[in-house]
Amino acid sequence: MRRISPVLQQDGVDSNLLSLIKTILAACREIAFRVSQGELAGVLGSTLGENIQGETQKKLDIIANELLKEVILETGVVKAISSEEEDTIVAGNPKGKYLVTFDPLDGSSNTDINSLIGTIFSILPAPEDKAADDASMFLQPGTAQLAAGYVLYGPSTMLALTTGKGTRLYTLDKTYGGFLLTEELATIPKYTAEFAINMSNQRYWQPAMQTYIADLLQGKEGPRGKNYNMRWIAAMVGDVHRVLCRGGIFAYPRDNKDASKPDKLRLMYEANPMSFLVEQAGGASSTGYERIMDIVPVDIHQRVSVILGSKHEVESCIAYHQR
Ligand code: AFP
């Protein structure tokens, strides 16, 4: 089985970018170890703080954030980082070629139940003409991403990675200590009969999503003419991993539950990297009205409505929004 370096070298990935990716993965290996120790490492449970999103911070969120921040800034090739757990960007080397944005521990409430969690990251080019503490550097659409990936801390630790030449899956070999290629070309089937959505929000969705899901629930007897199954992991990283492995549609649509927060997922370090991975695996990703990777962000912590997965199913869902 192949290691990461030869695979990325074969794709012509710049050596600085390759070493940055390997550095991020080294931090993720350390996070994987801490996660696997669970209660024994004393890292479970909440801190007394909240992040900029107003969400309770788990101890592991903070540990993962500090680990990633430290090693990424030490590479010297990164001009600044932006994290879910940091209110503002953190400046690095003014001459750095890259920007890194990440969610250190997606689905962190799942730590309480020993369920799936993961780290999501996205790498962007750093504009040369801006200062390292200028947050506007990050406001680039998802199409500008040079690389994106997630590390899933599950029964095995897995990596999904794209640099724009397909999406590959790797598995952490704990005996050798590195990730080995286990799926050369992740391919999301075009058609599916599986959806993932938090059904408890149903009454708050917009009419298009209400109708779409109501039609899926009617199964064979309804307009879609087949029975659908439902899954919900409550960690985007786990739900997207299932979509990459066997297809499906994942949605976190806009709702009116809390007027100050109509969308839940974060564009820059959740929706964009996942959209890049999904599109590179033959799937599609949209807000229902536009392609997610075409959105020009206005804020590093911006939220967005997400519908992604099997191409035909995503297109069907978009059609409901266009009616
Ligand atoms: P955290 O990043 O705060 O752990 O939240 C996880 C998440 O943003 C995303 O990964 C899940 O899809 C979604 O929240 C789950 O939300 P529900 O609370 O609606 O299940």
Side-chain angles (χ1 to χ4, degrees), residues 103-178:
D103 179 352
L105 212 61
D106 177 61
S108 53
S109 60
N110 275 356
T111 53
D112 297 339
I113 57 163
N114 197 22
S115 188
L116 291 180
I117 46 177
T119 297
I120 310 172
F121 60 90
S122 160
I123 303 176
L124 291 160
E128 283 176 21
D129 57 341
K130 291 195 174 160
D133 60 356
D134 183 345
S136 72
M137 281 188 301
F138 281 89
L139 305 182
Q140 307 179 40
T143 48
Q145 292 173 103
L146 300 172
Y150 64 75
V151 174
L152 178 72
Y153 310 114
S156 56
T157 298
M158 290 194 72
L159 161 72
L161 181 67
T162 183
T163 54
K165 299 218 164 128
T167 292
R168 295 190 176 93
L169 300 179
Y170 301 79
T171 304
L172 181 64
D173 180 344
K174 288 184 180 148
T175 51
Y176 132 71

Side-chain angles (χ1 to χ4, degrees), residues 41-59:
V43 295
L44 302 187
S46 303
T47 64
L48 293 176
E50 278 189 351
N51 64 15
I52 183 82
Q53 329 282 337
E55 295 155 345
T56 308
Q57 287 178 309
K58 299 279 180 186
K59 286 184 202 158

Side-chain angles (χ1 to χ4, degrees), residues 55 84 103 105-109 198 201 232 234-237 239 250 252 264-266 270:
E55 295 155 345
E84 182 185 13
D103 179 352
L105 212 61
D106 177 61
S108 53
S109 60
N198 184 342
N201 293 328
W232 186 247
M236 186 190 198
V237 73
D239 282 308
F250 164 87
Y252 212 113
K264 166 138 186 170
L265 301 179
R266 279 51 64 114
E270 291 181 324

Side-chain angles (χ1 to χ4, degrees), residues 141-218:
T143 48
Q145 292 173 103
L146 300 172
Y150 64 75
V151 174
L152 178 72
Y153 310 114
S156 56
T157 298
M158 290 194 72
L159 161 72
L161 181 67
T162 183
T163 54
K165 299 218 164 128
T167 292
R168 295 190 176 93
L169 300 179
Y170 301 79
T171 304
L172 181 64
D173 180 344
K174 288 184 180 148
T175 51
Y176 132 71
F179 288 92
L180 296 176
L181 184 65
T182 42
E183 178 69 61
E184 173 69 41
L185 194 61
T187 310
I188 300 175
K190 207 171 168 196
Y191 296 87
T192 184
E194 193 162 70
F195 68 94
I197 196 164
N198 184 342
M199 283 297 294
S200 69
N201 293 328
Q202 183 174 25
R203 66 191 183 283
Y204 302 111
W205 298 331
Q206 295 182 325
M209 195 47 101
Q210 298 258 9
T211 314
Y212 169 69
I213 294 292
D215 284 356
L216 298 192
L217 293 176
Q218 284 186 61

